Amino acid sequence: MLNEAPLPPAEAVRIVAAAAPALPAETVPLDEALGRVLAADVASLCDHPTVDNSALDGYACRIADTAGAGPDRPVRLRLVGEAPAGRPFAGRVGMGEAVRIFTGAGVPAGADGIVPVEASREPEGAAGSVEVLAEARAADIRPKGQDLLDGHVYLRRGARLHAGSLGLAAAMGHDRLEVAGRPRVALLTTGDEVIPPDRPLAPGQVYDSNAASIMALGRAAGADMVRLPAIGDDTGALREALGAAGGADLLLTSGGVSMGRYDLVRDLLFERGEVTFWKLAMKPGGPALFGRLGETAVLGLPGNPVSSMVVFLVLARAYIDAALGRTDPPPYLDRRWARARQRLRAAGSKESLLRVRLFEEASATEVAPLTNQSSGVLRSMAEADALAVVPPGRDVAPGESVAVIPLAGHLR
Ligand code: AMP
Ligand code: MG
């Protein structure tokens, strides 16, 4: 049943996330996996390192043979061979012997320590020997399996892949990974006054900034974004456009969901679809609408550019993250604590998401709101470091703690 009062955003987040589909997983090569989300745990197919190996260029020998060695007390060892990385020394290191070894090379049998090359010299006229000027150290041997053990899981289902985890997957012996299918998200911007930014602007017109910001947010979130041709405030065109969005899992509309007589997206969804909720107890973003049109979930973003981005971050991200099976929290739930530098004003009975700057001070992160919080001032989204969450009904006083949602990671 449709909400009577504006819905608290936390509840809306739950409803939207629960509507996300489970999509079939796919297997992709590592170099196409950046930003994708693992659909299965990943276990190592090998030990790393595969053998005890040297952390340094130097000499592998027996620690006992180097007891007491120092800058003024060289100890001479007989050089019996060489172990470059990937080409192990086949013999054994005996008493008073050393093998010249290189970083990453397997430590030969018999040796239990390494002397770094910097603490050695090869004496003139004594070919086939080396003088070490420090005691050999066992700590410079990297033991077999120190990093990875065969069969152990090091990456979990639901993790978003980044440079570190992709390197780790390769180190574990994987050249492809099973990742979550991406939800198909279509964007339809509406409004008679909205035009693309490649033409002259007549008085009363506005450039379509939502198309740019929402497409970027969708791609950054890992959705398969499709842009539908923009339309005016025209019921026929809207009907046609909505019909064409059938292949999408989620249709995002921009504009036309407020209280005005030209808010046709709202009207059409009430008439031909199914509205799950309309209006949030949140500022900006109050007019947001969520429902369904046939098989396609529909999220109506308000036209105001700040509202549109904020509703995307709060609700569209909840949907996309759930569809991808991400285990890290979506932006609305991904919070830190910070201290208010100034009074942060509540927005009546709504939760207020203020665009703020963050300042790292010695004792705490401090928060100051950007001057203009109008939902039409897009500069505030471009300049903000975070959204501060001011609960309904009570200002946050200077010096008080407030929850903030850092934006940097979510905008790119
Ligand atoms: P609406 O939600 O249709 O009532 O629009 C609210 C405000 O947002 C109006 O000032 C519109 O001109 C503006 N607006 C609507 N769509 C866009 C868009 N795609 N890009 C930039 N501004 C928009
Ligand atoms: Mg409009």
Side-chain angles (χ1 to χ4, degrees), residues 342-353:
Q342 286 155 248
R343 176 166 296 275
L344 302 176
R345 301 233 171 259
S349 59
K350 292 183 169 184
E351 179 174 279
S352 179
L353 298 182

Side-chain angles (χ1 to χ4, degrees), residues 191 193 233 255-256 262-263:
E193 77 287 24
D233 294 313
Y262 297 106
D263 287 328

